[in-house]
Amino acid sequence: MSLTNDIIKEKLIEKFGDQLTNFEEPYGMLTFEAPKEMNLKVMQFLFDDETLRFQFLTDLTAVHYPNQKGRELAVVYHLHNLVDNIRLRLKVFTDINKPDIFTATKLYSSANWMERETYDFYGINFVGHPNLKRILNVDEMDYFPMRKEYPLEDQTRIDKDDEMFGRGGTFGFGTERNKTGETMAEEDKGNVGDKIV
Amino acid sequence: MSDQLTAHHVKLPDGSIEKQTTTLNLGPTHPATHGVFQNIIEVDGERIVSAEQTVGYIHRAFEKIAERRPLYQITPLTDRLNYCSSPINNMGWHLTCEKLLKVKTPKRVDYLRVLIMELARVADHLICNSIVGVDAGALSVFLYVMQYRELIYEIYEEVCGSRLTTNIGRIGGFERNFTNTAFTKLEKFLDEYPKVLKEFENLLTRNRVFMDRTIGAGPISAERALNYGFTGPNLRAAGVDYDVRVHSPYSSYEDFTFDIPVGKTGDTYDRFLVRNLEMWESMKIITQAYQKIQEFKGAEAEVYHADIPEYYLPDKKDVYTKMEALIYHFKIIMGETEIPPGEVYHSVEGANGELGFYLISDGGRAPYRLHFRRPCFIYYQAFSEMTKGSMLSDAILTMSSLNLIAGEMDA
């Protein structure tokens, strides 16, 4: 039990130089970023190296950052060295218009379904995956629901009749309709505050 | 006549019926499959040539829903992951929050948590193992132990008021203290349960039929299991002594002495044995935890949550009578308490493996991204490799011994 975050970082920098960036240690877990073409090289090195031995893929998922132009999607790998009991987090960023990332299934069999799940929700195209199709959603879906452009409904909205959910009804919120028959937004009524009837 | 028919319709190879394979849909509503999983199995006679499995669509989008919810409102979602042991999921989630918020819990809370988590583990293993019995044709075992799971559910009921989806935890501790009745019921459990477990083992462990059915069914090597991301009892049955409770202790597990049962071959029988032995180890832990809890005297014996008014939901009685409590209650429920930005991964030893929570907070009222590492989801992909070449009836046993819970798989 002598492997520490510093040693891992040193070995990685020795091997890959300044291609790996953003070294951090949030809550004690070593986190860094690799260019997306290099994810397999880095993982292979982490897997094979005699002192590193990160041979267990704990978790694989993605995150969507719509504001980061050119690197909207992040694929996050959690790797675990079971011998020295140390974990690390590897991130790979990709453009949302061309979300191609090499698959890790050759290295870790567990990546198979986790990558399918990530594809299902974020549309990341894992190049070389043996069976890349939707897993939790139906095949006919043509969008990727976990992306931020599909937000859940705002729970504070009042422009719909939702008496059954504890709002509206007796208070008159969301029950008034305009001439075309649609429910009116609260701010369009002009009676916010004092004279709700 | 029959020659003509077969030759015309099925196109057999010359002179042979042995090479004909059949495609079977095992599930999603087949009585021998659990949940809504579908297995498309190609069989040659009764031997499986290839298998492909699908998860089934009861997807409830927990991760998406969590992106709109303050921390407390995510607790009911975690309850519904592995509903056979929902307290463990609860605790795992609250431990993750505490890690993010840098909250330290008192020792008594830790021990109470250990107590309730181990009870949940026993309940989960009991169901899984008796279901293995059912799938091998031994229904009586299942019916017999079901009434003893009741002992555990009664304790839950005493602590939090509900039985299946418990919602038992809070950030920093529990909603209320364990009552004396809860401890009386715990004593009853500690007194009665070992006998039941012994009897349960007597019925199955050395049962000739059961052994014939399970030994060698659905084996997986240690190396393959690791590569497939196995954790928990299924990995330990293959001979790897990895346990989150020991290797990254949380909630004061380092204060307890217990062994990690390990199998050899990773077949169904070993998985069954490992779970049985783990129940004994859990009983040890529960006994120790109970002793440790009794050592607290005076004011310390009343502690059941950390003193963090900005995160811990106040007592309902106080909410109605005290201004301070009302304000904190409002702020917590509306998600207006400050959550520091950061990203955290925390995992607990769930009843069937490493249950991980990957939480990214951007400082908003709800998590920016929450991902559950669900052990079932990861096991099930190995199913086709484990059953290739085995008999169809072995596949059923393999599936039940993996302890697949539909709610957890489809989160």
Side-chain angles (χ1 to χ4, degrees):
Chain A
M1 187 59 221
S2 53
L3 194 63
T4 59
N5 285 350
D6 293 334
I7 299 174
I8 301 168
K9 191 175 164 184
E10 232 169 69
K11 288 204 76 109
L12 281 167
I13 290 175
E14 190 186 310
K15 171 84 180 168
F16 294 103
D18 54 2
Q19 285 174 297
L20 305 182
T21 48
N22 286 349
F23 280 94
E24 286 174 0
E25 287 184 28
Y27 298 90
M29 193 188 280
L30 182 69
T31 303
F32 61 93
E33 191 190 321
K36 72 169 188 173
E37 309 80 33
M38 283 185 49
N39 67 337
L40 279 193
K41 276 184 198 158
V42 175
M43 273 192 281
Q44 185 82 52
F45 175 69
L46 288 166
F47 191 96
D48 289 337
D49 190 89
E50 277 174 16
T51 48
L52 296 178
R53 291 182 289 193
F54 282 91
Q55 296 176 353
F56 191 86
L57 176 70
T58 305
D59 193 20
L60 191 166
T61 188
V63 192
H64 186 201
Y65 298 100
N67 297 330
Q68 299 180 7
K69 283 283 162 277
R71 35 183 280 147
E72 286 96 345
L73 290 171
V75 179
V76 186
Y77 302 85
H78 283 87
L79 302 174
H80 196 171
N81 173 346
L82 288 171
V83 184
D84 298 293
N85 191 28
I86 190 163
R87 297 173 196 265
L88 66 78
R89 184 184 292 135
L90 165 64
K91 287 187 181 180
V92 176
F93 284 86
T94 176
D95 192 331
I96 200 163
N97 297 316
K98 199 174 179 301
D100 297 340
I101 300 261
F102 294 116
T103 173
T105 41
K106 291 281 179 337
L107 217 48
Y108 306 101
S109 305
S110 52
N112 191 322
W113 277 22
M114 292 199 246
E115 283 180 357
R116 276 177 70 182
E117 190 195 18
T118 311
Y119 162 74
D120 192 349
F121 287 132
Y122 285 93
I124 287 163
N125 178 27
F126 288 97
V127 179
H129 190 285
N131 186 22
L132 195 64
K133 58 180 189 184
R134 290 188 184 270
I135 185 163
L136 290 176
N137 292 311
V138 289
D139 293 333
E140 296 83 50
M141 261 172 115
D142 54 357
Y143 58 97
F144 303 109
M146 284 286 282
R147 288 185 180 175
K148 292 283 180 190
E149 67 248 38
Y150 305 108
L152 287 177
E153 181 179 277
D154 184 357
Q155 290 177 350
T156 55
R157 67 180 279 194
I158 48 171
D159 60 330
K160 60 180 254 226
D161 186 1
D162 49 4
E163 189 178 1
M164 300 302 281
F165 301 97
R167 297 186 292 266
T170 48
F171 297 106
F173 289 120
T175 51
E176 286 138 284
R177 293 175 189 277
N178 59 18
K179 281 171 193 164
T180 53
E182 291 160 350
T183 49
M184 282 169 76
E186 208 59 45
E187 52 269 34
D188 297 337
K189 293 176 191 166
N191 63 353
V192 180
D194 47 355
K195 41 177 235 198
I196 297 169
V197 186
Chain B
M1 160 96 188
S2 66
D3 277 351
Q4 246 184 346
L5 252 184
T6 45
H8 180 67
H9 290 286
V10 190
K11 287 181 190 148
L12 287 180
D14 289 340
S16 152
I17 197 160
E18 290 150 12
K19 293 292 174 221
Q20 183 191 354
T21 58
T22 315
T23 307
L24 273 183
N25 274 299
L26 192 66
T29 50
H30 193 278
T33 59
H34 301 186
V36 290
F37 318 133
Q38 182 194 24
N39 292 288
I40 304 157
I41 295 176
E42 190 190 359
V43 282
D44 173 17
E46 270 206 67
R47 201 161 286 283
I48 295 174
V49 182
S50 70
E52 201 197 326
Q53 61 278 36
T54 56
V55 167
Y57 307 117
I58 58 167
H59 180 60
R60 293 159 295 178
F62 283 171
E63 289 171 10
K64 189 79 186 175
I65 296 171
E67 287 176 12
R68 277 279 189 191
R69 291 195 176 194
L71 299 182
Y72 269 114
Q73 296 182 18
I74 296 169
T75 321
L77 303 181
T78 62
D79 270 337
R80 283 149 184 80
L81 286 173
N82 182 351
Y83 37 76
C84 289
S85 53
S86 43
I88 300 185
N89 310 337
N90 265 198
M91 298 297 153
W93 165 243
H94 288 307
L95 284 163
T96 314
C97 295
E98 282 161 20
K99 198 169 175 179
L100 179 76
L101 303 170
K102 299 205 171 84
V103 169
K104 197 164 161 16
T105 48
K107 271 285 178 204
R108 187 167 184 270
V109 172
D110 288 349
Y111 294 149
L112 289 173
R113 280 185 169 172
V114 168
L115 187 87
I116 213 81
M117 279 194 277
E118 292 306 316
L119 282 171
R121 191 183 316 282
V122 172
D124 191 283
H125 284 357
L126 193 65
I127 294 300
C128 176
N129 268 359
S130 53
I131 286 283
V132 174
V134 171
D135 285 343
L139 187 67
S140 51
V141 194
F142 178 69
L143 294 178
Y144 175 60
V145 299
M146 210 33 107
Q147 64 173 315
Y148 293 98
R149 188 181 66 163
E150 201 66 12
L151 293 174
I152 298 170
Y153 275 13
E154 277 183 16
I155 298 170
Y156 292 173
E157 203 174 1
E158 204 55 53
V159 176
C160 69
S162 64
R163 295 154 61 85
L164 187 72
T165 49
T166 51
N167 213 342
I168 206 167
R170 292 288 181 270
I171 295 170
F174 289 90
E175 183 223 350
R176 54 185 114 154
N177 201 357
F178 282 40
T179 55
N180 284 331
T181 327
F183 285 121
T184 321
K185 285 188 171 166
L186 182 70
E187 274 164 21
K188 181 164 177 260
F189 169 78
L190 286 173
D191 180 45
E192 279 183 25
Y193 194 70
K195 282 176 249 163
V196 179
L197 197 48
K198 192 88 202 107
E199 213 163 338
F200 177 70
E201 284 190 332
N202 286 345
L203 276 163
L204 285 181
T205 311
R206 302 298 296 168
N207 181 320
R208 180 58 201 267
V209 178
F210 185 73
M211 285 169 83
D212 281 353
R213 286 293 308 277
T214 51
I215 292 176
I220 187 161
S221 68
E223 196 194 341
R224 289 304 294 154
L226 279 174
N227 201 258
Y228 262 120
F230 274 39
T231 45
N234 295 344
L235 178 65
R236 290 194 281 274
V240 183
D241 65 339
Y242 171 64
D243 190 323
V244 186
R245 287 176 292 173
V246 177
H247 289 89
S248 345
Y250 52 93
S251 210
S252 297
Y253 263 110
E254 64 273 17
D255 296 357
F256 295 84
T257 47
F258 58 99
D259 300 321
I260 313 176
V262 174
K264 282 200 190 78
T265 55
D267 60 4
T268 301
Y269 188 63
D270 273 6
R271 283 192 283 274
F272 174 83
L273 285 188
V274 163
R275 286 209 172 83
N276 255 354
L277 292 171
E278 260 187 38
M279 281 196 263
W280 288 111
E281 298 303 323
S282 290
M283 295 299 288
K284 272 192 213 167
I285 300 174
I286 294 167
T287 317
Q288 289 173 41
Y290 185 37
Q291 281 163 359
K292 283 180 200 288
I293 289 162
Q294 281 176 322
E295 280 164 21
F296 292 98
K297 296 283 179 247
E300 271 194 326
E302 297 299 316
V303 175
Y304 61 96
H305 64 86
D307 187 21
I308 37 159
E310 63 272 35
Y311 299 123
Y312 178 81
L313 267 183
D315 196 342
K316 205 70 184 170
K317 189 170 84 244
D318 294 344
V319 174
Y320 290 133
T321 51
K322 291 180 186 151
M323 198 60 212
E324 199 84 338
L326 177 66
I327 292 168
Y328 277 127
H329 185 272
F330 181 77
K331 288 186 86 169
I332 292 167
I333 292 294
M334 298 309 284
E336 284 176 14
T337 46
E338 206 152 294
I339 300 165
E343 63 183 310
V344 53
Y345 177 82
H346 185 79
S347 60
V348 294
E349 179 74 20
N352 53 5
E354 179 175 335
L355 175 71
F357 297 86
Y358 176 45
L359 170 65
I360 299 179
S361 161
D362 61 349
R365 63 192 280 272
Y368 187 78
R369 171 85 170 102
L370 177 62
H371 181 72
F372 303 112
R373 185 222 190 250
R374 305 153 345 248
C376 288
F377 182 72
I378 290 160
Y379 300 147
Y380 194 36
Q381 56 187 312
F383 178 75
S384 64
E385 187 175 313
M386 288 164 84
T387 51
K388 194 173 270 184
S390 72
M391 304 298 273
L392 182 58
S393 52
D394 290 350
I396 312 259
L397 276 169
T398 307
M399 195 168 152
S400 62
S401 70
L402 282 174
N403 196 8
L404 304 172
I405 310 283
E408 189 170 271
M409 204 178 289
D410 279 18

